[in-house]
Amino acid sequence: ESLLGVTREGDRLCIKPCIPNDWPGYTINYRVGETLHRITITQELNGKNELKLDGIVQPASSFLLSDDAQEHSVEINYCATP
């Protein structure tokens, strides 16, 4: 099941934003054990789709969840469809 385009698949979190075009974005705090993942999704017209985990661009729209008692930053730029 997906909430705002966020789905857990095993040890990965897949993010495919599913929001109205007039939303500028949203933020989710996702906890796995002792680890907090702060996820910020920014939607822009004519933008590019990109996911960064702790500042590093990921090759897909998902990332590996960790339970390392650290806080991780996930930034997603999402291209809205007009």
Side-chain angles (χ1 to χ4, degrees):
E1 197 168 316
S2 175
L3 174 66
L4 295 174
V6 178
T7 308
R8 184 167 180 173
E9 295 180 2
D11 60 355
R12 299 190 72 78
L13 197 64
C14 301
I15 303 176
K16 297 176 183 170
C18 180
I19 58 176
N21 285 342
D22 59 341
W23 282 23
Y26 56 95
T27 302
I28 297 172
N29 291 327
Y30 193 90
R31 184 173 296 281
V32 176
E34 297 296 316
T35 300
L36 180 64
H37 298 81
R38 293 192 182 274
I39 303 166
T40 303
I41 296 170
T42 305
Q43 178 172 237
E44 299 175 352
L45 284 175
N46 302 319
K48 65 177 181 175
N49 294 328
E50 183 176 73
L51 187 150
K52 291 181 184 177
L53 174 62
D54 297 327
I56 300 170
V57 175
Q58 302 298 298
S61 61
S62 67
F63 63 94
L64 185 63
L65 291 166
S66 59
D67 186 5
D68 59 5
Q70 302 291 316
E71 185 174 304
H72 296 279
S73 171
V74 181
E75 299 172 22
I76 298 162
N77 292 320
Y78 176 67
C79 179
T81 52

